[in-house]
Amino acid sequence: MVSDLSRDVIVVGAGLAGVALARRLFQAHIPCVALERRDVFSNDGFAVNLPGNAIAALNQMGLREPVSQMGRPTRRREYRDHRDRLVFEIDEDAFWGAEHRPRCVKRSDLLAALQQGLPADLFQMSRSVTDIRQTEAAVVAMLESGEAVTGRLLVGADGVHSRTRAHAFPGAQTRSAVLSRASWRFIAPDPGVDGWTVWAGPRSLFLLIPVGDGEVYGWASVSGGASADQKTDATLLGAEISAVFEGFPKRVRDTLDYLTSNPGSVHWSPLEEVRLDAWANDRVVLIGDAAHATAPVWAQGVALALEDANALGDLLGANTDWRFAARRFESLRRDRVRHVQSMTDKMSNAARLPAFVRNLLMPVVGPRRYHETYGPLRG
């Protein structure tokens, strides 16, 4: 049967990418519906690190004021070795400026800000897409319920394990990130970090970022980490990473002790990337992690997704002929994404060097990579 959910744009997925796009389409007065297979909005990962280009994208969405009131600004970065020696540091305030100052925020707060002012019926929960069909004039999303939602364009914003990608781009697969096979993300009490701080050991990384209210958002990875079928619990956390981080400074060890005792504060996931030759297939287009997930070396997953939402919203708002909209979007975004992927690969490979080699190179290479990566993203 044909559902009454038909809109100009069908957005599959109501994570940050999907909600951001729904916001931009609503602002452009383009009828859309976002279909989410879960029954509630996800909070996987707990918090989000927003570099300056992510802040710029949120400002473009009209969220400058609410975003400035959430989380905590990140004014500096420190890169340290596993013995707590400072390898190099970056003044993020000087680089990005006050208008685009990076910030770490709770994921739930950012999602709520993106939803501000949007009608509740724009999001349809527990709507799983089982097939996608195209005609010359329309695209149809077939739902598990038997409904058929018709639109002029369908956007896959459904993440690394995108079902849209599986339907519209058969054969496309994720790949394990060069940096690590798996990672842990978490919220923990602040052990006393003043800014974005990472410790790099011989085969492990541990990152802490203040998120406000006496808490930090953290990320940890171990080379050759857990396989994709393992689950996160206190036993796994202890077995996989506690021994690897032995000898790290007290701030790291205190955080690990807390996480081992509070496994509900930890989100484990395989670390996967998506590299596709095409994001567009006639009236279907992928955005965000569904199109170009990268390892979180430069915190560009959410940033690129927000930029995608702005770019596609602007494109659709300015053009009445949508027959080639998906391909136009891809041509607009491809070079910027390719740049981030290239810089991610360079830093991931550097992180896997023997520790003594990395510590010799990074005082020079690190600041240069930072400016090479983020310089083009400031525009």
Side-chain angles (χ1 to χ4, degrees):
M1 63 180 176
V2 178
S3 168
D4 62 0
L5 297 178
S6 298
R7 300 288 192 275
D8 280 355
V9 180
I10 305 167
V11 181
V12 180
L16 291 174
V19 175
L21 178 60
R23 180 179 185 84
R24 292 297 286 122
L25 295 175
F26 180 77
Q27 290 172 333
H29 307 291
I30 297 172
C32 70
V33 63
L35 307 175
E36 171 56 48
R37 65 182 178 84
R38 305 188 216 200
D39 57 357
V40 296
F41 291 100
S42 170
N43 192 33
D44 291 349
F46 305 116
V48 179
N49 181 22
L50 299 173
N53 61 312
I55 299 298
L58 289 164
N59 291 349
Q60 187 178 343
M61 294 178 186
L63 295 174
R64 183 190 307 272
E65 182 59 28
V67 170
S68 72
Q69 301 301 312
M70 65 179 68
R72 178 172 158 177
T74 305
R75 300 176 183 273
R76 62 194 300 268
R77 288 188 177 209
E78 291 185 358
Y79 292 77
R80 295 180 172 271
D81 69 13
H82 65 289
R83 295 185 178 89
D84 211 21
R85 291 179 296 200
L86 183 65
V87 178
F88 70 94
E89 59 186 331
I90 298 290
D91 185 339
E92 298 227 88
D93 254 4
F95 182 84
W96 291 105
E99 185 176 1
H100 298 145
R101 178 177 293 133
R103 183 172 291 270
C104 190
V105 306
K106 295 285 183 68
R107 187 183 185 92
S108 56
D109 291 343
L110 180 57
L111 194 61
L114 288 167
Q115 292 174 296
Q116 283 183 8
L118 302 184
D121 63 357
L122 195 155
F123 302 100
Q124 299 291 324
M125 312 304 286
S126 300
R127 298 282 188 168
S128 182
V129 176
T130 59
D131 195 13
I132 297 170
R133 302 172 186 175
Q134 298 195 57
T135 67
E136 185 175 344
V139 59
V140 181
M142 306 301 299
L143 304 186
E144 195 171 49
S145 62
E147 296 169 289
V149 185
T150 303
R152 296 165 64 194
L153 185 73
L154 185 144
V155 183
D158 45 350
V160 174
H161 301 121
S162 169
R163 296 185 181 186
T164 305
R165 188 176 65 237
H167 291 308
F169 301 83
Q173 296 181 338
T174 64
R175 71 177 199 184
S176 293
V178 172
L179 182 64
S180 175
R181 290 183 58 202
S183 67
W184 292 260
R185 287 172 284 172
F186 52 84
I187 292 287
D190 187 346
V193 294
D194 186 44
W196 188 105
T197 307
V198 70
W199 292 267
R203 56 191 186 94
S204 55
L205 295 170
F206 201 93
L207 170 67
L208 295 177
I209 316 171
V211 75
D213 297 326
E215 293 182 313
V216 289
Y217 170 54
W219 180 85
S221 74
V222 176
S223 299
S227 62
D229 59 352
Q230 289 180 295
K231 296 181 180 179
T232 304
D233 57 27
T235 303
L236 173 63
L237 188 67
E240 284 291 321
I241 65 177
S242 289
V244 175
F245 288 102
E246 187 175 0
F248 273 62
K250 186 175 186 299
R251 289 179 287 180
V252 174
R253 297 300 306 176
D254 286 349
T255 303
L256 281 172
D257 288 345
Y258 172 82
L259 297 177
T260 303
S261 302
N262 297 271
S265 300
V266 182
H267 173 81
W268 174 86
S269 66
L271 197 56
E272 298 170 289
E273 296 185 321
V274 176
R275 305 284 175 96
L276 301 179
D277 294 332
W279 310 332
N281 180 353
D282 294 332
R283 292 182 179 272
V284 177
V285 64
L286 303 174
I287 70 169
D289 281 352
H292 45 66
T294 65
V297 174
W298 300 111
Q300 284 298 303
V302 172
L304 290 178
L306 296 172
E307 291 183 354
D308 284 351
N310 281 329
L312 186 56
D314 289 347
L315 179 67
L316 298 179
N319 292 276
T320 56
D321 184 355
W322 288 7
R323 288 175 299 173
F324 307 109
R327 276 186 284 174
R328 287 174 182 149
F329 165 79
E330 182 176 344
S331 68
L332 283 173
R333 296 290 296 155
R334 177 65 74 173
D335 286 348
R336 194 168 176 90
V337 169
R338 188 179 288 120
H339 165 72
V340 170
Q341 291 172 334
S342 173
M343 299 310 294
T344 297
D345 290 344
K346 289 179 180 179
M347 203 63 168
S348 294
N349 287 326
R352 292 172 64 88
L353 290 171
F356 76 96
V357 175
R358 186 176 63 236
N359 291 337
L360 287 174
L361 293 176
M362 290 307 286
V364 175
V365 174
R368 187 172 69 205
R369 287 280 185 263
Y370 179 93
H371 286 84
E372 287 175 349
T373 299
Y374 285 125
L377 300 180
R378 284 191 294 191

mmCIF file of all heavy atoms in Angstrom, residues 12 22 37 42 83 93 104 116 126 159 169 211 215-216 221 232 247 268 310 319 321 323 333 339 352 359 362 374:
data_model
loop_
_atom_site.group_PDB
_atom_site.id
_atom_site.type_symbol
_atom_site.label_atom_id
_atom_site.label_comp_id
_atom_site.label_asym_id
_atom_site.label_seq_id
_atom_site.Cartn_x
_atom_site.Cartn_y
_atom_site.Cartn_z
ATOM 1 N N VAL A 12 16.524 8.500 5.342
ATOM 2 C CA VAL A 12 16.596 7.235 6.067
ATOM 3 C C VAL A 12 17.656 7.369 7.151
ATOM 4 O O VAL A 12 18.841 7.538 6.867
ATOM 5 C CB VAL A 12 16.944 6.063 5.126
ATOM 6 C CG1 VAL A 12 17.009 4.757 5.916
ATOM 7 C CG2 VAL A 12 15.909 5.961 4.009
ATOM 8 N N ALA A 22 17.184 17.000 8.031
ATOM 9 C CA ALA A 22 15.765 17.324 8.194
ATOM 10 C C ALA A 22 15.592 18.782 8.598
ATOM 11 O O ALA A 22 14.676 19.470 8.124
ATOM 12 C CB ALA A 22 15.137 16.397 9.234
ATOM 13 N N ARG A 37 14.758 3.336 12.071
ATOM 14 C CA ARG A 37 14.392 1.956 12.398
ATOM 15 C C ARG A 37 14.280 1.716 13.903
ATOM 16 O O ARG A 37 13.562 0.817 14.334
ATOM 17 C CB ARG A 37 15.405 0.990 11.790
ATOM 18 C CG ARG A 37 16.800 1.095 12.349
ATOM 19 C CD ARG A 37 17.749 0.129 11.647
ATOM 20 N NE ARG A 37 19.114 0.247 12.126
ATOM 21 C CZ ARG A 37 19.588 -0.367 13.201
ATOM 22 N NH1 ARG A 37 18.787 -1.142 13.929
ATOM 23 N NH2 ARG A 37 20.841 -0.225 13.570
ATOM 24 N N SER A 42 19.072 7.572 19.132
ATOM 25 C CA SER A 42 20.256 6.918 19.692
ATOM 26 C C SER A 42 21.189 7.922 20.364
ATOM 27 O O SER A 42 21.333 9.052 19.906
ATOM 28 C CB SER A 42 21.015 6.189 18.580
ATOM 29 O OG SER A 42 22.263 5.733 19.037
ATOM 30 N N ARG A 83 54.344 8.353 28.923
ATOM 31 C CA ARG A 83 54.961 8.726 30.204
ATOM 32 C C ARG A 83 54.577 10.144 30.612
ATOM 33 O O ARG A 83 55.147 10.706 31.540
ATOM 34 C CB ARG A 83 56.476 8.581 30.116
ATOM 35 C CG ARG A 83 56.946 7.144 29.920
ATOM 36 C CD ARG A 83 58.462 7.041 29.952
ATOM 37 N NE ARG A 83 58.891 5.662 29.816
ATOM 38 C CZ ARG A 83 59.133 5.048 28.663
ATOM 39 N NH1 ARG A 83 58.959 5.724 27.523
ATOM 40 N NH2 ARG A 83 59.525 3.791 28.628
ATOM 41 N N ASP A 93 42.334 28.159 19.967
ATOM 42 C CA ASP A 93 41.736 29.498 19.944
ATOM 43 C C ASP A 93 42.387 30.372 18.874
ATOM 44 O O ASP A 93 41.705 31.059 18.114
ATOM 45 C CB ASP A 93 41.903 30.169 21.308
ATOM 46 C CG ASP A 93 40.600 30.211 22.086
ATOM 47 O OD1 ASP A 93 39.600 29.658 21.597
ATOM 48 O OD2 ASP A 93 40.578 30.788 23.172
ATOM 49 N N CYS A 104 33.358 20.497 22.916
ATOM 50 C CA CYS A 104 32.931 19.122 23.161
ATOM 51 C C CYS A 104 31.584 19.156 23.875
ATOM 52 O O CYS A 104 31.436 19.849 24.891
ATOM 53 C CB CYS A 104 33.966 18.388 24.012
ATOM 54 S SG CYS A 104 33.683 16.605 24.122
ATOM 55 N N GLN A 116 15.258 21.488 17.559
ATOM 56 C CA GLN A 116 14.507 22.664 18.005
ATOM 57 C C GLN A 116 13.683 23.246 16.855
ATOM 58 O O GLN A 116 14.188 23.504 15.777
ATOM 59 C CB GLN A 116 15.461 23.748 18.526
ATOM 60 C CG GLN A 116 16.008 23.509 19.903
ATOM 61 C CD GLN A 116 16.896 24.657 20.379
ATOM 62 O OE1 GLN A 116 16.990 25.692 19.738
ATOM 63 N NE2 GLN A 116 17.550 24.458 21.511
ATOM 64 N N SER A 126 10.637 3.601 14.495
ATOM 65 C CA SER A 126 10.303 2.191 14.252
ATOM 66 C C SER A 126 9.852 1.974 12.808
ATOM 67 O O SER A 126 8.917 1.229 12.539
ATOM 68 C CB SER A 126 9.212 1.711 15.223
ATOM 69 O OG SER A 126 9.633 1.840 16.557
ATOM 70 N N GLY A 159 24.277 5.894 8.741
ATOM 71 C CA GLY A 159 25.489 5.510 9.434
ATOM 72 C C GLY A 159 26.390 4.501 8.752
ATOM 73 O O GLY A 159 26.195 4.116 7.601
ATOM 74 N N PHE A 169 23.614 0.436 -3.308
ATOM 75 C CA PHE A 169 24.999 0.300 -3.753
ATOM 76 C C PHE A 169 25.482 -1.108 -3.415
ATOM 77 O O PHE A 169 26.365 -1.290 -2.581
ATOM 78 C CB PHE A 169 25.892 1.349 -3.090
ATOM 79 C CG PHE A 169 25.481 2.762 -3.363
ATOM 80 C CD1 PHE A 169 24.482 3.370 -2.600
ATOM 81 C CD2 PHE A 169 26.071 3.499 -4.378
ATOM 82 C CE1 PHE A 169 24.089 4.670 -2.846
ATOM 83 C CE2 PHE A 169 25.679 4.802 -4.631
ATOM 84 C CZ PHE A 169 24.684 5.392 -3.866
ATOM 85 N N VAL A 211 34.059 17.951 28.960
ATOM 86 C CA VAL A 211 32.739 18.175 28.374
ATOM 87 C C VAL A 211 31.853 18.987 29.314
ATOM 88 O O VAL A 211 30.681 19.226 29.036
ATOM 89 C CB VAL A 211 32.092 16.824 27.999
ATOM 90 C CG1 VAL A 211 31.602 16.089 29.242
ATOM 91 C CG2 VAL A 211 30.982 16.983 26.973
ATOM 92 N N GLU A 215 32.987 16.427 34.024
ATOM 93 C CA GLU A 215 33.103 15.187 33.267
ATOM 94 C C GLU A 215 34.010 15.369 32.062
ATOM 95 O O GLU A 215 34.230 16.483 31.584
ATOM 96 C CB GLU A 215 31.726 14.712 32.792
ATOM 97 C CG GLU A 215 30.786 14.278 33.903
ATOM 98 C CD GLU A 215 29.464 13.785 33.374
ATOM 99 O OE1 GLU A 215 28.885 14.473 32.494
ATOM 100 O OE2 GLU A 215 28.998 12.732 33.829
ATOM 101 N N VAL A 216 34.529 14.234 31.577
ATOM 102 C CA VAL A 216 35.288 14.218 30.330
ATOM 103 C C VAL A 216 34.642 13.219 29.371
ATOM 104 O O VAL A 216 34.028 12.225 29.793
ATOM 105 C CB VAL A 216 36.767 13.832 30.534
ATOM 106 C CG1 VAL A 216 37.531 14.938 31.226
ATOM 107 C CG2 VAL A 216 36.890 12.506 31.292
ATOM 108 N N SER A 221 41.841 3.392 22.067
ATOM 109 C CA SER A 221 41.984 2.327 21.071
ATOM 110 C C SER A 221 43.252 1.549 21.355
ATOM 111 O O SER A 221 44.211 2.063 21.933
ATOM 112 C CB SER A 221 42.021 2.892 19.652
ATOM 113 O OG SER A 221 43.254 3.523 19.388
ATOM 114 N N THR A 232 30.957 -5.240 24.899
ATOM 115 C CA THR A 232 31.596 -4.414 25.912
ATOM 116 C C THR A 232 31.057 -4.757 27.284
ATOM 117 O O THR A 232 29.864 -4.724 27.510
ATOM 118 C CB THR A 232 31.303 -2.934 25.637
ATOM 119 O OG1 THR A 232 31.736 -2.619 24.335
ATOM 120 C CG2 THR A 232 32.030 -2.049 26.612
ATOM 121 N N GLY A 247 51.416 1.747 33.219
ATOM 122 C CA GLY A 247 52.549 2.636 33.032
ATOM 123 C C GLY A 247 52.155 3.994 32.486
ATOM 124 O O GLY A 247 52.980 4.915 32.438
ATOM 125 N N TRP A 268 31.479 0.437 23.221
ATOM 126 C CA TRP A 268 32.505 -0.205 22.398
ATOM 127 C C TRP A 268 31.977 -0.379 20.983
ATOM 128 O O TRP A 268 30.804 -0.672 20.768
ATOM 129 C CB TRP A 268 32.859 -1.568 22.968
ATOM 130 C CG TRP A 268 33.804 -2.331 22.077
ATOM 131 C CD1 TRP A 268 35.165 -2.247 22.075
ATOM 132 C CD2 TRP A 268 33.449 -3.262 21.056
ATOM 133 N NE1 TRP A 268 35.683 -3.074 21.110
ATOM 134 C CE2 TRP A 268 34.653 -3.705 20.468
ATOM 135 C CE3 TRP A 268 32.242 -3.758 20.569
ATOM 136 C CZ2 TRP A 268 34.684 -4.648 19.429
ATOM 137 C CZ3 TRP A 268 32.254 -4.679 19.535
ATOM 138 C CH2 TRP A 268 33.467 -5.122 18.976
ATOM 139 N N ASN A 310 24.097 20.776 5.186
ATOM 140 C CA ASN A 310 24.002 22.144 4.677
ATOM 141 C C ASN A 310 24.114 22.186 3.156
ATOM 142 O O ASN A 310 23.346 22.871 2.478
ATOM 143 C CB ASN A 310 25.094 23.018 5.301
ATOM 144 C CG ASN A 310 24.763 23.476 6.702
ATOM 145 O OD1 ASN A 310 23.597 23.663 7.045
ATOM 146 N ND2 ASN A 310 25.776 23.657 7.530
ATOM 147 N N ASN A 319 17.408 24.517 -6.510
ATOM 148 C CA ASN A 319 17.142 23.880 -7.805
ATOM 149 C C ASN A 319 15.789 23.183 -7.797
ATOM 150 O O ASN A 319 15.486 22.409 -6.896
ATOM 151 C CB ASN A 319 18.233 22.846 -8.118
ATOM 152 C CG ASN A 319 19.584 23.482 -8.375
ATOM 153 O OD1 ASN A 319 19.871 23.923 -9.481
ATOM 154 N ND2 ASN A 319 20.424 23.536 -7.345
ATOM 155 N N ASP A 321 14.893 21.297 -10.502
ATOM 156 C CA ASP A 321 15.120 20.061 -11.245
ATOM 157 C C ASP A 321 16.032 19.163 -10.416
ATOM 158 O O ASP A 321 17.224 19.421 -10.288
ATOM 159 C CB ASP A 321 15.764 20.368 -12.602
ATOM 160 C CG ASP A 321 15.925 19.111 -13.454
ATOM 161 O OD1 ASP A 321 15.623 18.008 -12.950
ATOM 162 O OD2 ASP A 321 16.359 19.243 -14.610
ATOM 163 N N ARG A 323 16.580 15.868 -10.911
ATOM 164 C CA ARG A 323 16.969 14.617 -11.562
ATOM 165 C C ARG A 323 18.449 14.306 -11.362
ATOM 166 O O ARG A 323 18.842 13.132 -11.300
ATOM 167 C CB ARG A 323 16.670 14.693 -13.064
ATOM 168 C CG ARG A 323 15.178 14.622 -13.409
ATOM 169 C CD ARG A 323 14.964 14.817 -14.896
ATOM 170 N NE ARG A 323 15.441 16.145 -15.330
ATOM 171 C CZ ARG A 323 15.502 16.531 -16.605
ATOM 172 N NH1 ARG A 323 15.146 15.686 -17.561
ATOM 173 N NH2 ARG A 323 15.926 17.734 -16.923
ATOM 174 N N ARG A 333 30.941 17.860 -2.833
ATOM 175 C CA ARG A 333 31.525 17.434 -1.567
ATOM 176 C C ARG A 333 32.746 16.516 -1.701
ATOM 177 O O ARG A 333 33.507 16.355 -0.750
ATOM 178 C CB ARG A 333 30.462 16.695 -0.751
ATOM 179 C CG ARG A 333 29.285 17.553 -0.345
ATOM 180 C CD ARG A 333 29.678 18.571 0.696
ATOM 181 N NE ARG A 333 30.091 17.923 1.929
ATOM 182 C CZ ARG A 333 30.916 18.467 2.822
ATOM 183 N NH1 ARG A 333 31.457 19.654 2.608
ATOM 184 N NH2 ARG A 333 31.228 17.812 3.929
ATOM 185 N N HIS A 339 40.076 15.009 0.945
ATOM 186 C CA HIS A 339 41.139 15.645 1.726
ATOM 187 C C HIS A 339 41.174 15.094 3.145
ATOM 188 O O HIS A 339 42.244 14.738 3.659
ATOM 189 C CB HIS A 339 40.918 17.162 1.756
ATOM 190 C CG HIS A 339 41.725 17.876 2.794
ATOM 191 N ND1 HIS A 339 43.086 18.062 2.686
ATOM 192 C CD2 HIS A 339 41.354 18.417 4.001
ATOM 193 C CE1 HIS A 339 43.530 18.699 3.759
ATOM 194 N NE2 HIS A 339 42.512 18.929 4.571
ATOM 195 N N ARG A 352 50.872 4.555 14.156
ATOM 196 C CA ARG A 352 51.264 3.148 14.230
ATOM 197 C C ARG A 352 52.780 2.947 14.131
ATOM 198 O O ARG A 352 53.253 1.812 14.143
ATOM 199 C CB ARG A 352 50.550 2.366 13.130
ATOM 200 C CG ARG A 352 49.042 2.270 13.356
ATOM 201 C CD ARG A 352 48.332 1.661 12.152
ATOM 202 N NE ARG A 352 48.738 0.285 11.913
ATOM 203 C CZ ARG A 352 48.172 -0.777 12.474
ATOM 204 N NH1 ARG A 352 47.167 -0.611 13.323
ATOM 205 N NH2 ARG A 352 48.597 -1.987 12.191
ATOM 206 N N ASN A 359 57.819 9.612 18.535
ATOM 207 C CA ASN A 359 58.116 10.711 19.461
ATOM 208 C C ASN A 359 59.211 11.633 18.941
ATOM 209 O O ASN A 359 59.258 12.813 19.303
ATOM 210 C CB ASN A 359 58.493 10.160 20.825
ATOM 211 C CG ASN A 359 57.310 9.512 21.531
ATOM 212 O OD1 ASN A 359 56.157 9.820 21.232
ATOM 213 N ND2 ASN A 359 57.605 8.622 22.459
ATOM 214 N N MET A 362 57.017 13.545 15.777
ATOM 215 C CA MET A 362 55.769 14.277 15.987
ATOM 216 C C MET A 362 55.923 15.734 16.417
ATOM 217 O O MET A 362 55.059 16.555 16.091
ATOM 218 C CB MET A 362 54.878 13.533 16.979
ATOM 219 C CG MET A 362 54.301 12.230 16.423
ATOM 220 S SD MET A 362 53.454 12.436 14.841
ATOM 221 C CE MET A 362 51.954 13.252 15.372
ATOM 222 N N TYR A 374 43.410 21.043 8.883
ATOM 223 C CA TYR A 374 42.335 21.963 9.213
ATOM 224 C C TYR A 374 42.369 23.266 8.409
ATOM 225 O O TYR A 374 41.343 23.938 8.289
ATOM 226 C CB TYR A 374 42.360 22.281 10.711
ATOM 227 C CG TYR A 374 41.847 21.156 11.572
ATOM 228 C CD1 TYR A 374 42.632 20.637 12.603
ATOM 229 C CD2 TYR A 374 40.600 20.593 11.365
ATOM 230 C CE1 TYR A 374 42.171 19.616 13.412
ATOM 231 C CE2 TYR A 374 40.134 19.563 12.160
ATOM 232 C CZ TYR A 374 40.931 19.073 13.185
ATOM 233 O OH TYR A 374 40.476 18.057 13.977
#
